[in-house]
Amino acid sequence: MLIAIPDLLSADELGEIRQTIDAADWIDGNVTSGHQSALAKNNEQLPEDSDAAQRAGRMILDALGRSPLFFASSLPLRIFPPLFNRYGEGQEFDIHVDNAIRIKRGSEFRIRSDLSVTLFLEAPEDYDGGELIVEDHYGAQRVKLPAGHAVVYPSSSLHKVTPVTRGRRVASFFWLQSMVRDAEARRLLFDLDRSVQRLTGELGGKDRSVIELTGVYHNLLRRWADS
């Protein structure tokens, strides 16, 4: 399941994040790569322990906490601190799959990567190429969103970033471990949550059917969730 999260960042937040990371020192993007990814990856990245990355990452985590759509689509248990990359002309990240376990360097923090997130930080009209392509059962999905918008997709999927042919692609990327490990169960919960929210708007929160369906949602979550 691939879910777009529109307007995750406000214009002011986007501007502050870009000001913070654009002034920082960038390094070769393969510092976070596994062996297979290193063969396919050609980009730059902020050091994950840099002041700029940590400051900008905290702003993104705050924004995620305010997004009902992000919570409903991912049901996050643990989120890897956001990282930042950029692609200049000719740079790309060829087809790969994300590592199953992500470990924060120099700490005991680790997650199972159930879902991957890309948060676009550059306006799409300012660069050519640089599309995120995610392969799923329905074929290849091409993603290139406005700055401040994010996309959530399965970490188990094959995906790539196409070569940038003009300008520069800047983004944040990170992974999360969901409370609900099973992808199909997450999808069913997401669909049910969307239906409950729609019915609440149409019938009101005190409607008996809305209350019962809300109970079904939470009872399924209790059954499937790890805490």
Side-chain angles (χ1 to χ4, degrees):
M1 184 172 67
L2 186 152
I3 302 293
I5 313 292
D7 298 314
L8 180 66
L9 299 177
S10 68
D12 288 343
E13 289 170 329
L14 176 62
E16 185 173 350
I17 287 173
R18 283 303 303 267
Q19 185 177 25
T20 299
I21 65 175
D22 287 350
D25 293 325
W26 294 69
I27 59 176
D28 189 295
N30 276 312
V31 294
T32 58
S33 298
H35 173 71
Q36 180 257 335
S37 292
L39 299 175
K41 188 177 186 180
N42 177 21
N43 65 10
E44 293 181 303
Q45 189 169 313
L46 275 188
E48 61 183 277
D49 58 352
S50 69
D51 291 341
Q54 293 184 30
R55 178 183 172 191
R58 287 193 294 269
M59 293 183 64
I60 292 172
L61 292 174
D62 288 344
L64 293 173
R66 300 193 304 267
S67 173
L69 180 57
F70 172 74
F71 183 86
S73 63
S74 59
L75 298 170
L77 177 62
R78 298 185 185 90
I79 301 175
F80 196 92
L83 303 174
F84 299 86
N85 61 19
R86 67 184 184 188
Y87 296 76
E89 292 183 16
Q91 292 187 309
E92 63 179 310
F93 197 164
D94 207 353
I95 197 75
H96 65 283
V97 64
D98 290 339
N99 290 350
I101 305 297
R102 306 299 312 198
I103 302 172
K104 181 172 171 55
R105 186 177 285 103
S107 76
E108 296 183 357
F109 181 86
R110 67 184 62 202
I111 65 168
R112 181 188 67 238
S113 57
D114 295 323
L115 294 168
S116 300
V117 182
T118 296
L119 171 59
F120 292 82
L121 299 175
E122 187 79 43
E125 62 269 21
D126 290 340
Y127 64 101
D128 294 331
E131 294 177 304
L132 172 66
I133 298 182
V134 181
E135 296 185 7
D136 62 17
H137 297 300
Y138 302 101
Q141 310 296 312
R142 306 179 74 91
V143 185
K144 187 175 181 180
L145 299 178
H149 295 220
V151 63
V152 181
Y153 55 97
S155 299
S156 57
S157 64
L158 290 171
H159 55 280
K160 66 179 180 179
V161 175
T162 63
V164 171
T165 59
R166 179 185 64 88
R168 186 174 64 187
R169 178 194 194 268
V170 183
S172 175
F173 66 102
F174 50 96
W175 307 270
L176 65 91
Q177 180 173 331
S178 177
M179 290 185 286
V180 177
R181 179 171 185 162
D182 183 76
E184 181 62 17
R186 281 199 310 273
R187 186 189 67 80
L188 291 172
L189 286 167
F190 179 72
D191 290 345
L192 179 57
D193 179 75
R194 297 295 90 187
S195 296
V196 169
Q197 297 305 317
R198 185 178 65 252
L199 288 174
T200 299
E202 294 173 356
L203 303 176
K206 294 184 179 181
D207 181 84
R208 173 87 181 194
S209 296
V210 171
I211 294 171
E212 290 176 347
L213 284 173
T214 301
V216 170
Y217 173 88
H218 286 287
N219 287 332
L220 287 173
L221 184 57
R222 286 187 187 95
R223 183 179 183 89
W224 289 332
D226 299 319
S227 60

